[in-house]
Amino acid sequence: MVTVEERYEHLEKTIRGYNISADFEQIRSAYAYAREHHGAQLRRDGTPYITHPLQVAQIVAEMRLDSESIIAALLHDCIEDTDSTYEDIAKRFGVTVADVVDGVTKLTRVKYSTMEEEQMENLRKMLFAMSRDIRVILIKIADRLHNMRTMEYQTPAKQKKKAFETMEIYAPIAHRLGMQKMKWELEDLSLKYLDPVAYEDINRKLEEESARHDQFMSAVQAQINTRLTELGIRNATVYGRVKHPYSIYRKMYAQEKTMEEVYDLFAFRVLVDTVQDCYNVLGVAHDLYKPILGRFKDYIATPKPNMYQSLHTTVIGDDGIPFEIQIRTYDMHAIAEYGVAAHWKYKQGIKRQGGEGTYEWIRRLLENQEDADAEEFIHSLKIDMFSDEVFVFTPRGDVINLPAGATPIDFAYSIHSAIGNTMVGAKVNGRMVGFDYQLHNGDIVEINTSKAAHGPSRDWMKTAKSSEARSKIRQWFKRERREENIAQGRASFESELRHAGLTLSQVTPPDVLPSILKRVGFQSLDEMYAAIGYGGCTALKVVNRIRDELLQLSRAAAVEKAAQEAAAAKEVQEGRPPAPQKSKSEKGLIVEGLSNCLVKFSKCCTPVPGDAIVGFITRGYGVSVHRKDCPNADPERRTPADQGRWIRVTWSDDVYESYTTSLEVVCKDRDGLLVDISTALSASKVSVTSLNSHTTTDGFAIFHLTISVTDAKQLDHVMRKLHQISGVMKVSRPAG
Ligand code: MN
């Protein structure tokens, strides 16, 4: 029987073994404090309660954590189970220790009631989110490990429940933190209660065979050792082990095999000083034994996300027994066993490449910690990866994941929009709260609903933090208030329509409505009214679009009609001279066969009266007029489909308007050139709309002019004047 005092001495000795400068005074003081506060409390096995915190501190010390972690481990049950308070602990041991103890207490209070697979990842995340300091999680894992070790005194129901939680939540967390040793022990202890028969069976068989196993393992160990010595690889440690029961169990279960059939029961480790030695040892292993193809894995070049590094290979020994060999450096081994907890001590030997994993944050922190000592390193290792999320429970125990700052409104809508829409009240941890209450990790949230509820209020849109809730509220307003929205929208639409001098009867004819709806982007008029009523768009904007569309439709209809008539006339009069059916059009043009049609001058060649011209009936924009010498009007380039659209256009005689056209002037650049060009233009009485120039690298200046002239004669005159200017080499009308 070990006394409590002896356990404490053992703890101090363990700490001294890795951290000679630990704060032993405070550690002893924490021990005395915990012992005093737990007083006469007993554990179920009849031992004084203080043995539990002492053993948890022992596990934490075996993880080689800092003084504050040891102190917090000793105190970890004080707030929960004694009359001690956060304030008291903060006063005596500092705020950091008090925060860690408080964090562990909160994790302890979380009640898991779900057994659903998909909830487990959320639960794991929640534990991380709740542990702002990674030491909280490490101590909680140590606490769980000791509880699992002493689980035999609990009721069978509690054993199963705790074992399930451990298997599903704590072992995976230990794995992600790279704490392999913890993970194995947690898994084996869980299996013991989850499947006692299988667990006993595996252990019994392992025991029965242990002599044979030992013999086999020593033989392999000796073979490898001999070869390493021959090759001069120094300071290598070789040992074999039988895989842990849960790992065997999983293989049996997954492959439906008996234990005898489980493929690789044995694992050997070779620990060496350097990475280069690792690869040398791998060569030795493959030389000594027959490697199994496809079973080699290089986690040194590509570490696992939890920082694990090692070479793995599976080989077959002389007697046909397959076994795995793991080869790594001592530093890598420490990390494999203790994970993040080992890191401050074994910083070297970590390669930073590869493995963008969930625990990238740890790696990032580690990079900044090259020279920090134990105390400092663990201090800065705060968990921040889930700080933008909050995890809460439903009354059933499901975990709901919401954005940080979320309120009961977000919670209700994340369950179902019907819950949100009929919500009349909310309870958090059994107490009524306001709808703007900010949810905290681990809160149990309950929503009261009523069929008589009025539905969401518009304020909720501001209170809700999640876009999911906001869009569901918006949807409700769209749907529930539809009738109201339609009536209101229709009223303001019709009033806006009158303003624009239009009537509803212009909009609704079946040959007009589809293109109008397409233009405004709605499936139906009701939908458009509803959107106006709800405020999704304004009546003014919609009416403006409709007016544009109506205008275009009427013009297009007129031109299309005329074009059809012209084409028909052409067919009839095939071979005969053009009809004398001329009528005056706008802009001083006569368009053959058409009267009062929309005409525009093409921008490519800007024709002026006197130019030979031709017209093209566009689709919806009237007749576009080109110069006959414009490349765009070249008969060679006309497509057969458009042949009928080219029509004769002539200038009428009584034209006094001015026409806009473009000129390009190429000159040898010199001083005063621009002044001379401007002078020539004003002397010719033409107005200039724009004048751009640029110079080329080889000393030329090119001017682009837009001018207004009455006809081709005046234009000709201007061009000749420009040509006379000294240095001007070419004056032309651009086209095409
Ligand atoms: Mn505890």
Side-chain angles (χ1 to χ4, degrees):
M1 190 71 189
V2 189
T3 67
V4 168
E5 198 53 37
E6 277 165 351
R7 284 191 201 282
Y8 179 75
E9 292 302 331
H10 179 60
L11 171 65
E12 271 206 5
K13 198 178 151 222
T14 307
I15 300 166
R16 223 169 251 120
Y18 69 92
N19 186 5
I20 196 76
S21 56
D23 192 345
F24 289 104
E25 202 177 307
Q26 278 291 74
I27 292 170
R28 180 169 277 283
S29 158
Y31 161 58
Y33 182 95
R35 192 174 182 175
E36 184 199 320
H37 278 79
H38 286 295
Q41 289 172 355
L42 293 179
R43 303 202 83 218
R44 270 184 170 258
D45 61 0
T47 57
Y49 195 90
I50 187 68
T51 54
H52 168 64
L54 262 176
Q55 289 299 85
V56 173
Q58 181 66 36
I59 296 167
V60 167
E62 280 157 16
M63 285 190 245
R64 307 183 169 207
L65 295 188
D66 62 339
S67 306
E68 283 174 336
S69 304
I70 307 280
I71 293 166
L74 287 166
L75 303 174
H76 82 269
D77 275 333
C78 280
I79 295 181
E80 185 68 7
D81 293 339
T82 78
D83 58 359
S84 157
T85 60
Y86 172 90
E87 287 72 26
D88 195 32
I89 291 175
K91 206 177 76 196
R92 285 164 191 258
F93 301 101
V95 172
T96 314
V97 167
D99 281 343
V100 173
V101 173
D102 189 47
V104 176
T105 306
K106 281 186 178 138
L107 292 194
T108 305
R109 285 180 186 159
V110 169
K111 296 280 171 270
Y112 314 95
S113 48
T114 183
M115 300 289 257
E116 282 165 31
E117 186 65 36
E118 68 264 31
Q119 286 289 315
M120 292 304 165
E121 178 58 17
N122 269 341
L123 279 166
R124 284 173 220 132
K125 278 189 189 168
M126 181 174 69
L127 292 198
F128 274 108
M130 290 177 74
S131 320
R132 301 248 298 286
D133 187 319
I134 193 155
R135 291 174 292 189
V136 170
I137 282 265
L138 298 178
I139 292 168
K140 186 65 205 168
I141 289 174
D143 177 44
R144 177 51 62 106
L145 181 57
H146 185 244
N147 283 336
M148 288 304 295
R149 282 178 185 170
T150 53
M151 194 54 76
E152 52 201 302
Y153 300 98
Q154 297 291 350
T155 63
K158 190 162 180 186
Q159 286 172 342
K160 276 241 153 67
K161 185 173 170 343
K162 292 281 166 192
F164 180 78
E165 258 175 42
T166 303
M167 187 67 96
E168 293 297 329
I169 296 166
Y170 290 99
I173 286 177
H175 173 70
R176 284 204 205 162
L177 292 174
M179 305 157 78
Q180 223 46 37
K181 216 174 145 181
M182 295 275 170
K183 180 199 165 208
W184 287 347
E185 196 178 345
L186 288 170
E187 284 174 346
D188 287 348
L189 288 167
S190 301
L191 180 65
K192 184 172 164 186
Y193 298 104
L194 290 174
D195 193 343
V197 175
Y199 178 81
E200 290 309 327
D201 191 42
I202 291 171
N203 270 320
R204 201 192 56 222
K205 280 183 182 145
L206 287 178
E207 218 154 287
E208 281 168 14
E209 298 284 324
S210 76
R212 201 173 60 85
H213 289 167
D214 284 348
Q215 201 188 353
F216 171 76
M217 287 188 293
S218 332
V220 171
Q221 192 180 338
Q223 275 175 324
I224 297 174
N225 262 327
T226 309
R227 186 64 73 89
L228 293 184
T229 312
E230 281 168 16
L231 281 172
I233 295 173
R234 289 158 168 272
N235 198 23
T237 306
V238 182
Y239 62 93
R241 60 180 176 88
V242 177
K243 288 195 170 167
H244 74 292
Y246 180 66
S247 147
I248 296 170
Y249 176 81
R250 221 177 36 203
K251 283 186 178 162
M252 287 168 64
Y253 187 77
Q255 301 163 9
E256 287 182 50
K257 281 184 174 152
T258 64
M259 200 174 120
E260 290 72 27
E261 295 167 332
V262 167
Y263 195 31
D264 42 353
L265 206 54
F266 303 96
F268 288 83
R269 293 232 176 89
V270 184
L271 308 181
V272 289
D273 282 332
T274 65
V275 171
Q276 197 193 333
D277 280 349
C278 290
Y279 290 98
N280 288 336
V281 173
L282 180 73
V284 168
H286 285 175
D287 189 41
L288 271 174
Y289 312 104
K290 187 172 178 288
I292 297 176
L293 280 174
R295 291 290 301 252
F296 170 66
K297 294 193 185 73
D298 186 347
Y299 296 118
I300 289 180
T302 314
K304 286 191 183 181
N306 66 10
M307 303 175 292
Y308 179 84
Q309 287 189 295
S310 196
L311 300 177
H312 289 189
T313 187
T314 305
V315 296
I316 298 175
D318 303 332
D319 34 14
I321 299 173
F323 54 91
E324 186 183 61
I325 305 177
Q326 301 177 351
I327 306 156
R328 53 199 184 225
T329 65
Y330 289 97
D331 289 347
M332 291 171 190
H333 182 61
I335 287 153
E337 299 263 281
Y338 294 105
V340 62
H343 242 289
W344 56 268
K345 190 131 176 81
Y346 299 92
K347 294 174 301 249
Q348 294 83 15
I350 296 289
K351 285 196 180 159
R352 312 284 184 217
Q353 79 249 28
E356 278 279 318
T358 321
Y359 291 86
E360 179 60 22
W361 59 276
I362 292 181
R363 205 170 294 133
R364 228 171 29 236
L365 277 166
L366 294 170
E367 277 171 353
N368 302 324
Q369 296 297 331
E370 291 295 352
D371 302 313
D373 65 13
E375 307 276 327
E376 241 184 275
F377 167 71
I378 206 81
H379 224 89
S380 62
L381 195 53
K382 302 279 187 211
I383 294 183
D384 60 355
M385 60 182 156
F386 297 118
S387 59
D388 53 349
E389 289 173 87
V390 60
F391 300 85
V392 297
F393 287 108
T394 68
R396 268 187 54 206
D398 287 343
V399 181
I400 305 295
N401 182 353
L402 297 166
T407 64
I409 296 173
D410 296 291
F411 176 86
Y413 279 101
S414 80
I415 304 292
H416 197 279
S417 33
I419 305 280
N421 291 336
T422 55
M423 173 162 78
V424 289
K427 273 188 193 168
V428 169
N429 304 325
R431 285 220 307 269
M432 290 295 296
V433 295
F435 286 175
D436 59 347
Y437 174 88
Q438 280 206 5
L439 298 174
H440 301 288
N441 280 308
D443 279 350
I444 300 169
V445 190
E446 203 176 328
I447 301 295
N448 299 328
T449 60
S450 160
K451 285 211 170 94
H454 295 302
S457 98
R458 288 189 193 267
D459 292 344
W460 290 14
M461 220 104 83
K462 283 175 225 142
T463 314
K465 282 283 169 305
S466 61
S467 51
E468 186 193 3
R470 281 201 295 263
S471 93
K472 282 179 175 171
I473 296 168
R474 212 175 290 129
Q475 266 171 31
W476 184 89
F477 276 106
K478 264 190 191 164
R479 198 181 54 245
E480 291 300 312
R481 295 284 164 86
R482 190 169 163 85
E483 295 308 309
E484 209 176 290
N485 290 338
I486 288 175
Q488 200 189 321
R490 185 180 171 123
S492 47
F493 174 73
E494 285 179 354
S495 131
E496 200 60 57
L497 209 56
R498 272 194 302 280
H499 253 86
L502 296 167
T503 64
L504 199 58
S505 61
Q506 282 175 279
V507 176
T508 49
D511 58 329
V512 176
L513 191 60
S515 65
I516 284 195
L517 287 173
K518 195 178 167 208
R519 178 74 177 252
V520 292
F522 290 102
Q523 300 290 327
S524 69
L525 276 180
D526 271 1
E527 202 181 290
M528 183 182 85
Y529 295 151
I532 295 170
Y534 172 64
C537 62
T538 68
L540 178 67
K541 203 169 163 188
V542 169
V543 167
N544 279 341
R545 287 201 179 155
I546 288 178
R547 193 182 41 200
D548 285 354
E549 186 63 27
L550 283 172
L551 204 65
Q552 234 180 70
L553 282 171
S554 67
R555 282 179 177 172
V559 171
E560 278 295 337
K561 188 164 163 271
Q564 277 165 16
E565 284 169 5
K570 241 185 183 172
E571 240 167 67
V572 170
Q573 301 169 4
E574 192 105 65
R576 278 184 267 163
Q581 190 193 5
K582 286 184 180 178
S583 58
K584 200 170 155 235
S585 188
E586 54 183 298
K587 297 193 181 160
L589 286 164
I590 297 159
V591 182
E592 183 186 280
L594 299 178
S595 56
N596 289 325
C597 74
L598 187 65
V599 169
K600 63 167 187 177
F601 295 109
S602 70
K603 286 208 171 60
C604 53
C605 56
T606 58
V608 298
D611 287 339
I613 49 177
V614 62
F616 179 77
I617 302 169
T618 62
R619 288 166 183 81
Y621 293 96
V623 173
S624 161
V625 177
H626 291 263
R627 274 159 41 199
K628 268 197 171 151
D629 61 346
C630 175
N632 290 335
D634 187 347
E636 301 282 301
R637 288 170 56 176
R638 292 175 190 173
T639 63
D642 284 346
Q643 270 305 349
R645 290 182 177 268
W646 290 98
I647 53 171
R648 275 168 61 112
V649 180
T650 50
W651 300 101
S652 64
D653 305 330
D654 49 349
V655 178
Y656 300 102
E657 289 176 71
S658 59
Y659 295 80
T660 301
T661 190
S662 321
L663 287 178
E664 187 180 82
V665 185
V666 181
C667 328
K668 194 95 191 142
D669 200 13
R670 64 167 170 85
D671 284 341
L673 190 59
L674 185 60
V675 177
D676 289 347
I677 288 177
S678 311
T679 311
L681 290 171
S682 65
S684 313
K685 299 212 165 40
V686 292
S687 60
V688 180
T689 331
S690 77
L691 192 160
N692 295 309
S693 72
H694 68 267
T695 50
T696 63
T697 45
D698 47 357
F700 288 92
I702 299 164
F703 291 83
H704 289 277
L705 313 173
T706 310
I707 57 173
S708 291
V709 294
T710 50
D711 54 20
K713 233 174 94 187
Q714 188 192 11
L715 183 62
D716 224 45
H717 174 74
V718 173
M719 287 173 78
R720 251 184 289 117
K721 280 287 173 206
L722 287 171
H723 217 279
Q724 283 163 10
I725 296 170
S726 126
V728 170
M729 303 170 70
K730 189 180 159 208
V731 180
S732 62
R733 299 178 64 188

